[in-house]
Amino acid sequence: MNIRRERPEDYEAVRIVTKAAFRNVEHSSQTEAEIVDALREASVLTISLVAEELNSSGEKEIIGHIAFSPVAFTGAEDVATGWFGLGPVSVLPEKQKQGIGSALVHEGLTLLKVADAKGCVLLGDPEYYKRFGFRNDPKMRLRDVPQEYFLTLAFDKEELPDADVIYHPAFASS
Ligand SMILES: CC(C)(COP(=O)(O)OP(=O)(O)OC[C@H]1O[C@@H](n2cnc3c(N)ncnc32)[C@H](O)[C@@H]1OP(=O)(O)O)[C@@H](O)C(=O)NCCC(=O)NCCS
């Protein structure tokens, strides 16, 4: 399995993987593939990684994907925060629980740190994401979601900003 940045010829495979991964997810909007497209269209798909492996015919196949995009803070919408939102992250159902999702998260976080990002936020299951260091902290909030599912990871030792986080409008895609 190899992880690399997406290329234009991967866009359709990314769509297919994302749709397949979220098809049976209870809290899914079923718009995750469109969100990735809209982030790319808006040029805010800061990091977009694919996981690929050789299939039984010896051809490379995309089996996972992860996206990172910049987030803003309420009251300073036009100011770059240095914080990024993780997601969507997708692994083909038949390839899940083999460490591919974790590898995508680790590689994405490494690239964010190399790019001098301050930290990362996400909406997700605390049980899964705590293994990467994500924690819930009331200092960083996302409106209209249960606070315990909004998770943060600061890359340096500074205090977390006290902020209402805003994802890019592409997340409203449907
Ligand atoms: C979430 C997802 C990307 C993880 O990918 P993966 O390749 O299966 O993950 P890994 O193999 O690295 O990790 C598997 C571990 O995570 C756990 N896990 C996977 N998804 C989980 C979830 N939603 N909640 C809690 N635990 C989860 C598994 O039980 C397993 O635990 P273990 O290591 O203790 O056995 C994948 O399951 C997926 O595509 N899910 C559907 C889409 C989705 O829900 N994306 C996340 C929301 S943005």
Side-chain angles (χ1 to χ4, degrees):
M1 196 264 296
N2 177 43
I3 292 179
R4 59 167 175 78
R5 289 186 189 265
E6 72 167 21
R7 299 194 282 254
E9 60 267 30
D10 303 324
Y11 296 169
E12 184 56 25
V14 167
R15 237 168 259 139
I16 290 167
V17 167
T18 306
K19 280 188 187 296
F22 280 93
R23 189 158 295 135
N24 296 314
V25 173
E26 191 183 348
H27 297 293
S28 163
S29 59
Q30 299 296 317
T31 59
E32 292 81 5
E34 285 78 12
I35 289 170
V36 174
D37 283 339
L39 289 168
R40 192 185 291 120
E41 187 71 22
S43 301
V44 291
L45 199 43
T46 311
I47 295 176
S48 184
L49 301 176
V50 296
E52 67 180 0
E53 67 172 16
L54 289 181
N55 64 20
S56 52
S57 317
E59 292 156 354
K60 284 181 183 167
E61 188 185 4
I62 307 286
I63 54 173
H65 174 260
I66 193 166
F68 294 84
S69 57
V71 296
F73 296 157
T74 299
E77 281 81 354
D78 295 333
V79 179
T81 62
W83 283 76
F84 291 81
L86 182 163
V89 51
S90 310
V91 173
L92 282 179
E94 63 273 23
K95 299 290 181 181
Q96 291 178 7
K97 299 200 179 186
Q98 298 173 27
I100 298 161
S102 297
L104 284 164
V105 173
H106 280 302
E107 181 64 16
L109 294 176
T110 298
L111 291 174
L112 278 183
K113 286 178 205 164
V114 168
D116 276 339
K118 291 187 176 164
C120 188
V121 296
L122 66 87
L123 190 58
D125 189 317
E127 271 309 302
Y128 181 59
Y129 289 103
K130 71 181 181 190
R131 67 189 71 193
F132 310 105
F134 284 93
R135 298 278 178 273
N136 172 249
D137 190 303
K139 273 193 153 181
M140 294 188 90
R141 303 164 298 272
L142 184 66
R143 228 171 252 172
D144 300 329
V145 302
Q147 175 65 17
E148 65 267 32
Y149 292 105
F150 188 59
L151 310 176
T152 66
L153 174 61
F155 293 151
D156 52 29
K157 300 269 184 281
E158 282 174 39
E159 279 205 9
L160 288 180
D162 192 345
D164 285 303
V165 173
I166 310 169
Y167 278 82
H168 190 273
F171 278 85
S173 300
S174 59

